[in-house]
Short mmCIF file of all heavy atoms in Angstrom, two decimals:
data_model
loop_
_atom_site.label_atom_id
_atom_site.label_comp_id
_atom_site.label_asym_id
_atom_site.label_seq_id
_atom_site.Cartn_x
_atom_site.Cartn_y
_atom_site.Cartn_z
N ILE A 15 78.71 92.91 81.37
CA ILE A 15 79.65 92.58 82.49
C ILE A 15 80.47 91.35 82.20
O ILE A 15 81.67 91.32 82.48
CB ILE A 15 78.83 92.38 83.78
CG1 ILE A 15 78.20 93.71 84.24
CG2 ILE A 15 79.69 91.77 84.92
CD1 ILE A 15 77.25 93.63 85.42
N MET A 21 87.01 96.50 80.91
CA MET A 21 86.60 97.82 80.49
C MET A 21 85.83 98.50 81.55
O MET A 21 86.01 99.72 81.96
CB MET A 21 85.82 97.75 79.17
CG MET A 21 85.36 99.15 78.68
SD MET A 21 84.49 99.07 77.14
CE MET A 21 85.74 98.47 76.03
N PHE A 24 88.11 99.65 84.46
CA PHE A 24 88.89 100.82 84.19
C PHE A 24 88.10 102.07 84.18
O PHE A 24 88.55 103.08 84.64
CB PHE A 24 89.64 100.62 82.86
CG PHE A 24 90.88 99.85 83.06
CD1 PHE A 24 91.00 98.56 82.59
CD2 PHE A 24 92.05 100.45 83.61
CE1 PHE A 24 92.18 97.78 82.70
CE2 PHE A 24 93.19 99.71 83.82
CZ PHE A 24 93.30 98.36 83.38
N LEU A 26 85.37 102.58 85.94
CA LEU A 26 84.98 102.85 87.34
C LEU A 26 86.25 103.42 88.10
O LEU A 26 86.07 104.18 89.05
CB LEU A 26 84.58 101.56 87.99
CG LEU A 26 83.25 101.01 87.60
CD1 LEU A 26 82.97 99.66 88.31
CD2 LEU A 26 82.13 102.01 88.04
N GLU A 45 90.98 85.14 89.69
CA GLU A 45 92.15 84.66 89.00
C GLU A 45 92.92 83.66 89.96
O GLU A 45 93.34 82.54 89.50
CB GLU A 45 93.01 85.77 88.50
CG GLU A 45 94.29 85.26 87.71
CD GLU A 45 93.91 84.61 86.42
OE1 GLU A 45 92.78 84.78 85.95
OE2 GLU A 45 94.80 83.90 85.86
N PRO A 57 103.18 82.06 86.46
CA PRO A 57 104.03 82.55 85.37
C PRO A 57 105.46 82.85 85.84
O PRO A 57 105.70 83.19 86.98
CB PRO A 57 103.36 83.81 84.82
CG PRO A 57 101.94 83.74 85.43
CD PRO A 57 102.07 82.99 86.71
N SER A 60 109.07 88.35 84.57
CA SER A 60 109.83 89.07 85.61
C SER A 60 108.92 89.83 86.61
O SER A 60 109.24 89.89 87.79
CB SER A 60 110.73 90.16 84.93
OG SER A 60 109.91 91.00 84.07
N ALA A 75 109.94 90.50 106.92
CA ALA A 75 109.95 91.70 107.77
C ALA A 75 108.97 91.57 108.88
O ALA A 75 109.31 91.96 110.01
CB ALA A 75 109.56 92.95 106.87
N MET A 95 99.08 91.28 92.62
CA MET A 95 99.59 90.23 91.74
C MET A 95 98.41 89.48 91.11
O MET A 95 98.50 89.18 89.83
CB MET A 95 100.45 89.26 92.52
CG MET A 95 101.09 88.19 91.63
SD MET A 95 102.20 87.09 92.60
CE MET A 95 102.68 85.94 91.26
N TYR A 98 97.21 91.66 88.31
CA TYR A 98 98.19 91.59 87.20
C TYR A 98 98.07 90.33 86.40
O TYR A 98 98.09 90.32 85.13
CB TYR A 98 99.58 91.73 87.78
CG TYR A 98 100.65 91.41 86.78
CD1 TYR A 98 101.02 92.23 85.73
CD2 TYR A 98 101.32 90.19 86.80
CE1 TYR A 98 101.97 91.91 84.83
CE2 TYR A 98 102.34 89.84 85.97
CZ TYR A 98 102.65 90.72 84.88
OH TYR A 98 103.60 90.39 84.03
N LEU A 108 90.23 93.24 76.94
CA LEU A 108 90.54 94.60 76.79
C LEU A 108 91.71 94.75 75.84
O LEU A 108 92.85 94.59 76.22
CB LEU A 108 90.85 95.36 78.09
CG LEU A 108 90.94 96.86 78.10
CD1 LEU A 108 89.55 97.48 77.85
CD2 LEU A 108 91.58 97.34 79.34
N PHE A 119 90.53 109.46 77.56
CA PHE A 119 89.22 110.09 78.02
C PHE A 119 89.20 110.19 79.54
O PHE A 119 88.64 111.16 80.11
CB PHE A 119 88.03 109.25 77.57
CG PHE A 119 87.71 109.47 76.14
CD1 PHE A 119 87.72 108.35 75.33
CD2 PHE A 119 87.45 110.72 75.60
CE1 PHE A 119 87.39 108.53 73.96
CE2 PHE A 119 87.16 110.87 74.30
CZ PHE A 119 87.18 109.83 73.39
N TYR A 123 88.40 113.47 81.69
CA TYR A 123 87.48 113.45 82.80
C TYR A 123 88.07 114.03 84.08
O TYR A 123 87.40 114.72 84.86
CB TYR A 123 87.03 112.03 83.07
CG TYR A 123 86.08 111.89 84.26
CD1 TYR A 123 84.71 112.23 84.17
CD2 TYR A 123 86.60 111.34 85.58
CE1 TYR A 123 83.92 112.15 85.26
CE2 TYR A 123 85.76 111.30 86.55
CZ TYR A 123 84.37 111.65 86.48
OH TYR A 123 83.59 111.56 87.48
N HIS A 132 83.91 121.14 92.20
CA HIS A 132 84.02 122.37 93.10
C HIS A 132 82.74 123.09 93.31
O HIS A 132 82.67 123.89 94.25
CB HIS A 132 85.11 123.32 92.43
CG HIS A 132 86.48 122.92 92.58
ND1 HIS A 132 87.02 122.64 93.81
CD2 HIS A 132 87.52 122.77 91.74
CE1 HIS A 132 88.34 122.37 93.74
NE2 HIS A 132 88.61 122.33 92.42
N HIS A 137 81.70 119.69 102.99
CA HIS A 137 81.80 119.87 104.43
C HIS A 137 80.87 119.03 105.25
O HIS A 137 81.15 118.69 106.35
CB HIS A 137 81.48 121.40 104.72
CG HIS A 137 82.51 122.36 104.06
ND1 HIS A 137 83.84 122.37 104.43
CD2 HIS A 137 82.35 123.26 103.13
CE1 HIS A 137 84.49 123.27 103.77
NE2 HIS A 137 83.56 123.82 102.94
N TYR A 162 92.99 117.94 91.00
CA TYR A 162 93.22 116.52 91.22
C TYR A 162 92.05 115.68 90.79
O TYR A 162 92.12 114.45 90.84
CB TYR A 162 93.52 116.32 92.74
CG TYR A 162 92.51 116.82 93.72
CD1 TYR A 162 91.51 115.99 94.25
CD2 TYR A 162 92.55 118.09 94.13
CE1 TYR A 162 90.58 116.40 95.14
CE2 TYR A 162 91.62 118.63 95.02
CZ TYR A 162 90.69 117.80 95.54
OH TYR A 162 89.74 118.25 96.47
N CYS A 172 98.34 114.01 88.21
CA CYS A 172 99.29 114.41 87.21
C CYS A 172 99.91 113.24 86.42
O CYS A 172 99.95 113.29 85.16
CB CYS A 172 100.41 115.27 87.84
SG CYS A 172 101.55 115.93 86.62
N PHE A 181 99.79 108.64 75.48
CA PHE A 181 98.93 107.79 74.52
C PHE A 181 98.37 108.72 73.45
O PHE A 181 98.26 108.35 72.25
CB PHE A 181 97.86 107.12 75.26
CG PHE A 181 98.26 106.02 76.16
CD1 PHE A 181 97.55 105.61 77.25
CD2 PHE A 181 99.47 105.38 75.94
CE1 PHE A 181 97.92 104.56 78.01
CE2 PHE A 181 99.94 104.34 76.71
CZ PHE A 181 99.13 103.92 77.83
N VAL A 184 100.83 109.45 70.73
CA VAL A 184 101.02 108.29 69.84
C VAL A 184 99.84 108.19 68.84
O VAL A 184 100.04 107.95 67.67
CB VAL A 184 101.15 107.05 70.63
CG1 VAL A 184 101.19 105.79 69.72
CG2 VAL A 184 102.46 107.00 71.49
N ARG A 192 98.95 108.04 58.87
CA ARG A 192 97.91 107.36 58.05
C ARG A 192 97.07 108.38 57.26
O ARG A 192 96.07 107.99 56.65
CB ARG A 192 97.05 106.50 58.96
CG ARG A 192 97.80 105.31 59.53
CD ARG A 192 96.98 104.62 60.60
NE ARG A 192 95.78 104.02 59.96
CZ ARG A 192 95.74 102.81 59.52
NH1 ARG A 192 96.82 101.98 59.63
NH2 ARG A 192 94.58 102.28 59.04
N GLY A 216 99.85 121.58 89.14
CA GLY A 216 100.94 122.16 89.90
C GLY A 216 102.22 121.40 90.06
O GLY A 216 103.08 121.69 90.86
N PRO A 259 104.87 125.76 86.83
CA PRO A 259 104.04 125.97 88.06
C PRO A 259 104.82 125.83 89.31
O PRO A 259 105.77 125.04 89.44
CB PRO A 259 103.00 124.77 87.94
CG PRO A 259 103.65 123.75 87.03
CD PRO A 259 104.48 124.53 86.06
N THR A 290 110.95 97.51 105.33
CA THR A 290 109.90 97.86 106.31
C THR A 290 108.52 97.48 106.00
O THR A 290 107.58 97.64 106.77
CB THR A 290 109.88 99.35 106.63
OG1 THR A 290 109.55 100.06 105.48
CG2 THR A 290 111.34 99.82 107.11
N SER A 320 110.83 99.37 101.32
CA SER A 320 109.67 98.54 101.62
C SER A 320 109.94 97.05 101.44
O SER A 320 109.34 96.26 102.23
CB SER A 320 108.49 98.94 100.77
OG SER A 320 108.71 98.68 99.35
N PHE A 410 117.58 76.91 59.16
CA PHE A 410 116.93 75.81 58.43
C PHE A 410 117.04 76.00 56.96
O PHE A 410 117.39 74.99 56.24
CB PHE A 410 115.44 75.74 58.86
CG PHE A 410 114.62 74.65 58.15
CD1 PHE A 410 114.63 73.41 58.61
CD2 PHE A 410 113.90 75.01 57.04
CE1 PHE A 410 113.84 72.42 58.00
CE2 PHE A 410 113.17 74.03 56.36
CZ PHE A 410 113.17 72.71 56.88
#
Side-chain angles (χ1 to χ4, degrees):
I15 291 174
M21 182 180 292
F24 277 106
L26 288 174
E45 183 65 17
S60 57
M95 184 176 177
Y98 167 75
L108 190 70
F119 284 122
Y123 176 78
H132 282 308
H137 297 294
Y162 57 98
C172 185
F181 290 157
V184 174
R192 293 171 65 92
T290 63
S320 63
F410 178 85

